[in-house]
Every structure is written in structure tokens, then in C-alpha cells.
Amino acid sequence: MLKDITSLILRHTLVSRSHLTPELSLRLITRGCEVWGARAEEVPFVDPYWGFYWPGGQAVARYILDKPRFFQSRRVLDVGCGCGAQAIAAASVGAERVLANDIDVNALEATKINAELNNVSVETSEKNFIGTKCEGFDTILIGDMFYDEEFAKTLFEWLSKLTDSGKLVLIGDPGRHGLTASRISSMTRLASYTLHEDTCLENRGFTEATVWRLEK
Ligand SMILES: C[S@@+](CC[C@H](N)C(=O)[O-])C[C@H]1O[C@@H](n2cnc3c(N)ncnc32)[C@H](O)[C@@H]1O
């Protein structure tokens, strides 16, 4: 079964460096792929979010690669890892521990493929961490998860508890509606990046993405 998923991912993706972290080669669904622009019923995956490198994830991964020493001693949990880029960035700067988490098993397979492509290894887990204490981790990465208001509320409440318990929570986001002004008022802007023009087209006109640190 996993072998089938792996070969489908390899068949329907292309290696891309046209994003904010060109140091990382990532297998993604790009313009040259057969399934690009195909109707949902023609695509052999349900909601392949892992096939895209979302602006928020790009910003967090860029930030990690720009600050390698800061992340070397961290135990990192990438929640909603998608293609795995944030986790791969953390592993490539030598983070003490890296776990890539997604509830979509195909995302975990894509992450493993992408980790191998970049000569790093990351642990993977499909457990739903939302609401848990994330024991064993001191750094939580959230890339582009504020796309839905109801989910954003649950996510923000949980992340606030994690911050109160001393964890570092980094959130990458291009300005999605779930990251409201009131939520942003509890955050510090760490960095903003202009997106690669190829990914702007994919991302409905977003041109920038920011890394936020959630404060107590
Ligand atoms: C918009 S994508 C972002 C992917 C990646 N972080 C990035 O920035 O490229 C959101 C991802 O979150 C995953 N996801 C949704 N709910 C989740 C949950 N409760 N726990 C873990 N992952 C979840 C989805 O399967 C999807 O891969």
C-alpha cells in the first residue's frame, strides 16, 4: 500500500526549487505535472495539500535556514507538515529532534521522500497532536494552518496553552483570514519574505509571508 502511495507521489510530482528555500529540493505538484489543473476525479489523491509548498511553511523554513544556530538545540514538532519542508529545514540545520506530523498519511510519505531527497531523516507521525501537551518538544512549527475560522479558533487556543507552558510556537502565514488582528496582537513578527513569483500564482495573489512568534 505504502509502496503504491510512494510511486503515485513520484509519478505525479516534480522536483522544485522555485520557492523561498531553493536550498531544499522538494517534490511538488507543479505546472509541469499531469495532475496540475486536473478535475478532482482525475487526481489519484484526495486533497493533496502536501503537493504544494504553502507560503506560511515557506516562510518558517526560510527563517530556520537563516538562523541555523538557534535551531540546533531545539526539539521540533512540525504540525501539519504537508510536504515536510519545515521539518526538513530543521533537520538540515541539525536540530536535536525533528518530528513531522500530519493527519494525512500521504503527506507523511511525501515528507519521507522529500527528506531523502535532501539527505536528512525526520521522524513522522500521523497522530492528532491538537489539544495535547506536546511532551518531548520545545518548538512547535505551524505553517499555513489558519485557513479556516473554526479550525483557527481551536488551533489558536491550543497554541496559546503551549506558549503558556513555555514552548516556542512559530507560525508562518501569508495573511489568511483566520489570523485575525486580535490573534496577531499576541504575536511578535520575526521576519517577512516576498514569495517566489511561481508560488504567488498558486497562492491566489499572496505575495508575502510572515513568521510570527506567539507570546504568553
Ligand atoms: C495548508 S497545508 C500546510 C502544509 C505545510 N505546513 C506548508 O506550509 O506547506 C495544511 C496541512 O495541515 C494538515 N492538517 C490539517 N489538520 C491537521 C491536524 N489536526 N493535525 C495535523 N495536520 C493537520 C493537512 O493535512 C495539510 O497537510
Side-chain angles (χ1 to χ4, degrees):
M1 176 66 177
L2 283 184
K3 207 172 157 208
D4 293 348
I5 292 172
T6 306
S7 37
L8 277 175
I9 292 174
L10 292 174
R11 175 166 167 215
H12 290 289
T13 57
L14 287 172
V15 175
S16 170
R17 286 180 180 264
S18 301
H19 43 69
L20 271 181
T21 55
E23 303 91 322
L24 304 181
S25 297
L26 297 168
R27 280 205 157 264
L28 299 169
I29 297 174
T30 59
R31 244 157 263 279
C33 297
E34 211 178 293
V35 291
W36 179 268
R39 290 196 305 271
E41 60 274 21
E42 295 165 348
V43 179
F45 310 104
V46 178
D47 295 337
Y49 295 131
W50 52 265
F52 302 90
Y53 189 7
W54 297 67
Q58 292 192 40
V60 173
R62 180 70 267 151
Y63 186 75
I64 294 169
L65 293 175
D66 287 346
K67 305 226 175 294
R69 285 173 54 195
F70 179 77
F71 288 93
Q72 271 156 13
S73 57
R74 318 280 325 179
R75 288 167 294 140
V76 175
L77 172 62
D78 178 0
V79 178
C81 64
C83 69
Q86 300 180 124
I88 292 165
S92 59
V93 300
E96 196 178 303
R97 181 181 179 196
V98 183
L99 177 71
N101 159 247
D102 204 292
I103 51 169
D104 178 354
V105 288
N106 291 352
L108 301 179
E109 279 315 297
T111 295
K112 286 181 203 159
I113 292 170
N114 284 328
E116 199 179 325
L117 202 55
N118 292 280
N119 301 311
V120 295
S121 67
V122 298
E123 296 172 56
T124 56
S125 167
E126 64 178 292
K127 166 180 165 174
N128 189 350
F129 277 89
I130 296 181
T132 72
K133 293 188 174 162
C134 297
E135 276 155 10
F137 301 97
D138 53 32
T139 303
I140 315 299
L141 306 178
I142 301 289
D144 237 306
M145 302 276 282
F146 281 84
Y147 48 80
D148 170 88
E149 174 47 34
E150 200 182 325
F151 187 50
K153 184 173 182 293
T154 306
L155 193 61
F156 186 76
E157 285 170 6
W158 171 58
L159 294 172
S160 299
K161 282 189 191 147
L162 292 180
T163 308
D164 289 344
S165 72
K167 311 236 186 255
L168 170 68
V169 174
L170 298 181
I171 296 167
D173 188 87
R176 298 202 190 274
H177 62 274
L179 215 58
T180 56
S182 139
R183 289 177 185 140
I184 283 177
S185 68
S186 322
M187 299 181 194
T188 299
R189 180 193 295 261
L190 298 182
S192 292
Y193 304 97
T194 301
L195 298 172
H196 188 287
E197 59 184 20
D198 288 3
T199 50
C200 286
L201 287 171
E202 282 169 19
N203 283 292
R204 302 206 167 90
F206 285 120
T207 55
E208 207 180 69
T210 293
V211 180
W212 300 97
R213 183 180 64 218
L214 187 57
E215 305 295 353
K216 280 189 188 181

